Amino acid sequence: MSLTFWAAIVIVLLTLVALLKRYETRLVLCLSGLIMCAVAMDPMAAYNQFAKSMTTGNLIQSICSAMGFAFLVGYTKCDIHLVQMLTRPVKSLGLFLIPCCALMTTIVNAAIPSASGCAAAVGATLIPLMIRSGISPAGAASAVLIGTYGSNFNPGGAHPVMISGMAGIDPMQYTIDYSITYATVSLVGIIMITVVELIIKDYQKPNPNDALKLDIKSVAVEKVNVLFAIAPLVPLVILLLGNTYVPAIRMGVAQAMLIGATYTMLVTRANPQKAFSEFFTGAGKGYGNVLGIIIAAGVFACGLRETGVVSALIEALKHSNEYARIGGASGTFLMAVLTGSADAAIFAFNEAVTPHAAEFGMTITDLGNVVSTAGQLGRTMSPIAGVVILLAGMAQVSPMDLVKRTTVPMITAWLVLILFF
């Protein structure tokens, strides 16, 4: 191993420390990649990679349109109508509210791919509902948290778009191909969180006054409008039907999101100027927050390639094919737990290693899918993840109260992932 290689290893370790200290993720990844390229005597490689990643067409179209639509849905309160429509039939289920609310969160997260955005919309309704039904505040928040990796079902999500782009297939086709994986992992998590909360006795005799102690701003609507409620699901239905039973309406993710936005603006009769402004605000945040991390991860991966770390890793994986999938899933899972961010670890690994999956006996989509799912599972049991802190604040409990409930379900789901998928 060369001196350049070992210098890169030191930089990678320092990068991990910086991420653990919660420094700006994009800055840390970009700076680390630039330093590694400089050590390899080619600093321009980092700048070239940054510029190249900025204009990745399929990523920009899908992610920005999906985030723009999510912001529009939030602005028009269609997400609240959807949540309240889903909660109507389950108000008196008692203990079984736990799996039902987790499943509802998964459904809403499929329409609103931001974990924190989904948690904010869903938690404001579901957490008080569960508490009034006798579920502890920590148990209620954990049930919502367990559903916040439902974005796997959204073909406009960052990870499906990135992995399908590498493999040269349509994002919706990729999502359909791995829907059984996502459904199984989600179901395992939902079942296990119910078992855990039953064991630790999170369900007690209902006390309607308990929910009044929470400082959660009411976002309820007086009457659910079904046309409003189905708005968040319109793009998903179009994409699903177009790629299965009605090929005549097959289209790209961006087009489906724009049709969903058109439908939402028409049925809600929202102020078009404000609504369109909100859409582009979301699109801009999608570029800055989601694509920003993808760009930074690309620069970091470029540094790893320039210093020979990627080639050494691939060579090692060639001689131990059976461990490639487990190694990728383990690394991103642990990184997400430690740093609270699934995206940084997933994007870096998928950018650097996943394109070479065929060299150690795997397909790009198989490896990318396992890595991205494992990272999201790890994030869901990290006490410093943004969505965990958000839900803990809404329920007025410690983030560790949520994590001690989601740890067993997430580890179980991770084991199912690496053993069967």
Side-chain angles (χ1 to χ4, degrees), residues 147-163:
T148 57
Y149 50 91
S151 58
N152 282 324
F153 292 101
N154 191 319
H159 303 299
V161 171
M162 183 180 188
I163 297 165

Side-chain angles (χ1 to χ4, degrees), residues 54-68 155-156 161 252-258 279 283 287 291:
M54 288 180 72
T55 56
T56 307
N58 65 319
L59 289 175
I60 295 172
Q61 288 180 19
S62 300
I63 294 171
C64 290
S65 62
M67 288 297 291
V161 171
V253 172
Q255 290 87 337
M257 295 296 168
L258 288 171
F279 179 91
Y287 192 98
L291 271 162

